[in-house]
Amino acid sequence: MLDREGMPMSTASIGLLRREDFTARRGTLLLWRRDDEGCRADLREYNGAAGDDVAVLLVADDAALAALREGGWAPLPALVRQGRLHPYMLKTMDELEEAGLAEFVEDLGLVFPKH
């Protein structure tokens, strides 16, 4: 899926977490990343902290996870608008740009105010 969806080259990861795990502050975090070695998805134990290497944390309910499995990244912006998926930016916009994830964030329809 990451290859098909055009996962951007990045020095940071995008994390995906079930809403129940986020609320419980315990569970399994799915990490997406593309680097010099290619696209990969890894699992990590979640204990309330995503980790310094995670730039964007996506927290999704079961319906949103099903939509992502079925439709790839295409439904992401609609899921955010519907409140079924909550994106948390764990880095500043400058850090996201430096990591190669600014366009991904913009594709979600999120904006950062310029001060």
Side-chain angles (χ1 to χ4, degrees), residues 77 93 97 101-112 114:
M93 190 59 183
E97 285 178 14
L101 293 174
E103 190 172 313
F104 174 81
V105 170
E106 289 172 5
D107 288 346
L108 288 177
L110 303 175
V111 294
F112 280 77
K114 295 283 185 184

Side-chain angles (χ1 to χ4, degrees), residues 40-73:
R40 66 177 190 255
D42 297 309
L43 297 175
R44 175 189 299 164
E45 182 179 339
Y46 177 75
N47 59 4
D52 291 340
D53 61 330
V54 179
V56 179
L57 179 63
L58 305 174
V59 177
D61 65 18
D62 289 336
L65 292 173
L68 292 173
R69 276 192 298 273
E70 210 172 282
W73 286 355

Side-chain angles (χ1 to χ4, degrees), residues 2-3 8-10 33-42:
L2 298 178
D3 287 321
M9 283 286 285
S10 179
R33 178 184 233 156
R34 180 176 177 199
D35 56 21
D36 293 336
E37 297 176 19
C39 293
R40 66 177 190 255
D42 297 309

